Amino acid sequence: MYQVLYRKYRPKVFADVYGQDHITSTLKNEIKNGRVSHAYLFTGSRGTGKTTCAKILAKAVNCENNLDGEPCNECEVCKGLDNGSIYDVVEIDAASNNGVDNIRELRDETNYAPSRGKYRVYIIDEVHMLSTGAFNALLKTLEEPPAHVIFILATTEVHKLPATILSRCQRFDFKRIQPETMAVRLKEVAEKEGLTLDDDAAVLIARIADGALRDGLSILDQCAGRSKEIDSKLVSEVAGLAGKEAMYKLSDCIANKDCNGAMSIISELYQNSFDMERLCVEMINHFRNFLVAKTVRKSRELIICTDDEYNMIIEASKSFTVEEIINALDLFQNTLVTIKGGATARIEVEMAFVKLCEPKLDESITSILERISLLERSVSSGVAVVNTVNTPTVQPKAAEDSVPVKQEATQSNEAVEETKPQTEPIVQGTPIQERAPEPEPTVQPAPQPSIKPTADSNETVEFDRWGEFMDVLHQTNIPLFGVLSGSKGYVRGQFFLIDSPNPTVRDFIKMPMHSKSIKKALYDVTGIQYKLGLFKRAGDAPTQKRDPLEDLINQVSGSFNIEIK
């Protein structure tokens, strides 16, 4: 019958225990010097070697020929304990034997002398599962057991043990096994099994195992069932990870505010059966590496990865500020908690990415502080703010085109023929044919206009209060706000021209409800009743998406006399 790797390669001497030198050296010295205690407490996370060390200790104290505190594994006692023919070592599962009666039976058995060895050893695993009455029944025996009895208690939740138990034991805290140490052990086991394990794959398995060598060997066992050649790609498939490439693509989408790209990648991962909860965990680890890279001087020591991946992390982290990284970590952590509470994993993950790609949709304090921080840095630096959006500059140039626009509903339906612009690129305002005429909205007395319309003016200028306009629109018409996200506006006389890469804008603003919302928002911001049109630029590439904070930065920069480039 096949034996799984973590059982087949369980250490039989202290020297084979990886990552716990501070414990194994102490136990060997105690055995060598005859200073064995009557009660030990082994505590630590799963898979760190607690039960393994307990079994080695039980053999070592009974071994007839122990060498420097190590069991020889050759004498009759060692072999008998290994094959179960000698019953001087008793393993008890406290999870299923947690009552007072079970402890009373154990206490009565301690009066019997060992059958073959020097000590009768009781290993109580998951001891924190004992009831209060069982702990009380164990106290006296644990403090003053017979001379031939040794208790070894093992637990993953030491905080649940009463102080009266802790004070009666020698406590040893097992640490999580470092990924570098675990990778060495995995390579050794793979070599003995005739497997080819890449260095990157070994590090990845160690990172997934999270300090538990048993988990690492189990993953290696799964990979071996697929192929004798084990690389990082195979490990990612077996463990259900999204892989490094997808992590970097998703973080690039967040940095570039590319919501469409992020949603496409998530959909592809979902179709390939990647676990969405695990994806969330991987994104947390990914942004944690970014945070360490940007805040720690010697970050290489704290990031477990290959040198090539470390260089990728350093390069990718340059696209984020510390505030943005912390905001992403908070959002993914909250998403993970929500998923564990029973929510639909895919929807929660998609919502998290949409909020990160569209900061205006995230109304959390962390997101607002992040956006304010960006504005503060621009103002306090006193340096020109580099505009990341390709804002068109209208230069004088002869042209021979006219701009047909739609009159207001109260006027005739004939297009207004504007004077030919003399100094601008081929720009035209496309009239918007509304489905049904409707009266202008009833509004309060207009605020002081910030832009004075000139009906006969041919100059096309960018609308510099787009951010305020979008804020008002977000309160009144959220679907339209989403459609206009990444758009810009231009003013030509009494016409307001919308420049948007979204092809659905035309259909949206043809609807009376949406056109009314736009005019109302414009009136609230500027105090001017505009007519609507579409802005087109012949031969130009699609305009990049615009961050809603850009207009606010421009306003503040103007107030502080900061040059905008």
Side-chain angles (χ1 to χ4, degrees):
M1 181 178 178
Y2 178 74
Q3 192 174 27
V4 295
L5 295 182
Y6 77 83
R7 290 185 59 194
K8 183 177 181 180
Y9 292 97
R10 170 170 273 172
K12 294 185 178 181
V13 292
F14 288 121
D16 291 340
V17 178
Y18 279 71
Q20 310 296 346
D21 294 340
H22 62 295
I23 293 175
T24 56
S25 60
T26 302
L27 293 177
K28 287 198 300 183
N29 285 332
E30 287 188 357
I31 296 170
K32 184 169 57 176
N33 298 325
R35 299 177 59 87
V36 179
S37 176
H38 66 281
Y40 293 90
L41 174 62
F42 292 168
T43 177
S45 59
R46 71 185 190 283
T48 53
K50 300 183 298 297
T51 305
T52 296
C53 284
K55 290 182 176 181
I56 296 173
L57 176 60
K59 280 198 302 182
V61 296
N62 285 307
C63 180
E64 297 174 343
N65 305 306
N66 70 71
L67 306 171
D68 196 27
E70 297 273 24
C72 68
N73 291 313
E74 297 293 338
C75 67
E76 183 181 349
V77 174
C78 287
K79 291 181 178 180
L81 292 176
D82 284 337
N83 59 34
S85 60
I86 296 178
Y87 299 100
D88 289 340
V89 176
V90 182
E91 293 187 52
I92 300 173
D93 176 21
S96 55
N97 299 278
N98 57 1
V100 176
D101 293 338
N102 300 117
I103 298 302
R104 284 175 179 168
E105 293 176 6
L106 183 151
R107 186 177 59 190
D108 293 341
E109 288 181 6
T110 59
N111 295 321
Y112 297 103
S115 61
R116 182 67 177 80
K118 183 178 179 182
Y119 292 97
R120 191 171 180 84
V121 183
Y122 290 89
I123 302 174
I124 306 178
D125 204 4
E126 300 299 333
V127 69
H128 64 273
M129 300 292 288
L130 292 179
S131 64
T132 303
F135 275 126
N136 292 332
L138 182 62
L139 282 177
K140 189 63 177 177
T141 304
L142 189 64
E143 183 177 19
E144 296 179 358
H148 59 269
V149 171
I150 295 176
F151 285 99
I152 304 177
L153 313 182
T155 179
T156 56
E157 301 183 40
V158 68
H159 58 279
K160 293 185 178 180
L161 270 62
T164 50
I165 294 291
L166 296 175
S167 63
R168 287 166 167 80
C169 303
Q170 275 193 20
R171 175 173 171 174
F172 291 88
D173 291 283
F174 285 71
K175 300 178 181 178
R176 292 181 184 273
I177 302 174
Q178 292 299 310
E180 302 93 332
T181 304
M182 189 184 301
V184 173
R185 178 60 174 170
L186 292 173
K187 295 279 285 185
E188 289 181 358
V189 172
E191 184 178 355
K192 292 178 181 179
E193 289 292 308
L195 305 173
T196 302
L197 180 63
D198 292 348
D199 291 338
D200 289 348
V203 172
L204 181 57
I205 293 175
R207 194 178 71 186
I208 297 171
D210 194 24
L213 184 55
R214 181 173 61 239
D215 291 357
L217 289 172
S218 296
I219 296 172
L220 179 63
D221 216 348
Q222 281 184 279
C223 294
R226 293 274 299 273
S227 173
K228 295 292 184 181
E229 304 287 335
I230 302 175
D231 55 14
S232 57
K233 182 178 180 181
L234 177 60
V235 175
S236 297
E237 292 176 359
V238 169
L241 301 182
K244 299 176 186 177
E245 185 178 355
M247 295 296 104
Y248 287 102
K249 285 182 178 179
L250 287 170
S251 60
D252 286 343
C253 289
I254 294 174
N256 298 325
K257 308 303 179 189
D258 182 8
C259 183
N260 180 66
M263 297 291 277
S264 299
I265 295 172
I266 294 173
S267 176
E268 182 181 352
L269 294 175
Y270 185 79
Q271 295 300 323
N272 290 327
S273 300
F274 285 118
D275 182 41
M276 292 292 103
E277 181 178 341
R278 189 71 196 188
L279 173 62
C280 193
V281 173
E282 286 296 304
M283 289 305 300
I284 291 173
N285 292 332
H286 191 57
F287 275 88
R288 177 261 178 190
N289 290 339
F290 288 172
L291 182 64
V292 172
K294 293 188 75 70
T295 58
V296 179
R297 180 175 298 177
K298 296 182 179 180
S299 58
R300 184 66 183 91
E301 301 175 0
L302 300 179
I303 299 177
I304 308 303
C305 62
T306 61
D307 292 337
D308 290 340
E309 185 180 359
Y310 178 73
N311 294 331
M312 294 173 63
I313 291 172
I314 295 298
E315 190 64 29
S317 65
K318 295 178 181 178
S319 301
F320 298 90
T321 63
V322 174
E323 292 83 3
E324 290 172 334
I325 295 173
I326 292 176
N327 179 45
L329 285 170
D330 284 339
L331 190 53
F332 283 126
Q333 292 276 18
N334 294 334
T335 301
L336 187 61
V337 172
T338 306
I339 292 173
K340 290 183 179 294
T344 305
R346 179 182 181 180
I347 295 176
E348 293 297 327
V349 171
E350 288 176 339
M351 287 172 57
F353 277 95
V354 168
K355 289 180 180 179
L356 290 173
C357 293
E358 298 287 349
K360 186 177 286 291
L361 299 178
D362 187 3
E363 298 179 353
S364 65
I365 297 298
T366 306
S367 177
I368 294 173
L369 291 176
E370 173 197 334
R371 298 164 66 193
I372 292 175
S373 174
L374 177 63
L375 183 59
E376 287 177 342
R377 288 196 303 274
S378 301
V379 174
S380 62
S381 63
V383 182
V385 180
V386 179
N387 198 340
T388 58
V389 181
N390 295 330
T391 304
T393 303
V394 181
Q395 298 292 343
K397 177 182 177 182
E400 298 182 6
D401 65 330
S402 59
V403 184
V405 293
K406 180 71 176 68
Q407 293 281 1
E408 288 293 315
T410 56
Q411 302 178 8
S412 65
N413 293 330
E414 296 179 358
V416 176
E417 183 95 14
E418 290 193 6
T419 307
K420 297 179 181 179
Q422 300 179 7
T423 60
E424 54 180 62
I426 303 177
V427 179
Q428 56 183 358
T430 304
I432 304 301
Q433 300 293 336
E434 298 180 353
R435 295 181 180 176
E438 65 182 37
E440 291 296 329
T442 303
V443 295
Q444 299 298 327
Q448 183 66 28
S450 61
I451 302 176
K452 295 181 180 180
T454 55
D456 297 331
S457 174
N458 295 321
E459 184 180 6
T460 301
V461 296
E462 183 178 356
F463 184 61
D464 62 356
R465 303 185 69 178
W466 181 266
E468 298 175 49
F469 162 73
M470 290 293 283
D471 285 336
V472 175
L473 202 61
H474 183 259
Q475 301 297 325
T476 59
N477 194 327
I478 293 181
L480 184 58
F481 169 83
V483 171
L484 292 180
S485 179
S487 304
K488 294 182 291 186
Y490 293 91
V491 174
R492 174 181 294 164
Q494 57 184 318
F495 298 101
F496 183 79
L497 307 178
I498 298 174
D499 181 14
S500 174
N502 192 334
T504 63
V505 168
R506 174 185 292 273
D507 294 333
F508 256 78
I509 62 179
K510 279 184 179 179
M511 300 179 185
M513 176 182 67
H514 296 315
S515 63
K516 180 179 177 181
S517 297
I518 295 176
K519 294 175 182 178
K520 177 68 165 57
L522 287 171
Y523 187 85
D524 290 344
V525 172
T526 65
I528 301 174
Q529 295 183 3
Y530 284 106
K531 303 173 185 178
L532 300 182
L534 291 179
F535 181 92
K536 287 188 177 180
R537 188 183 307 102
D540 282 359
T543 309
Q544 296 181 8
K545 291 188 177 181
R546 182 186 181 93
D547 188 345
L549 277 179
E550 186 65 34
D551 298 288
L552 186 56
I553 293 174
N554 289 339
Q555 276 190 305
V556 175
S557 301
S559 301
F560 285 86
N561 296 323
I562 300 176
E563 180 186 359
I564 306 296
K565 291 185 178 179

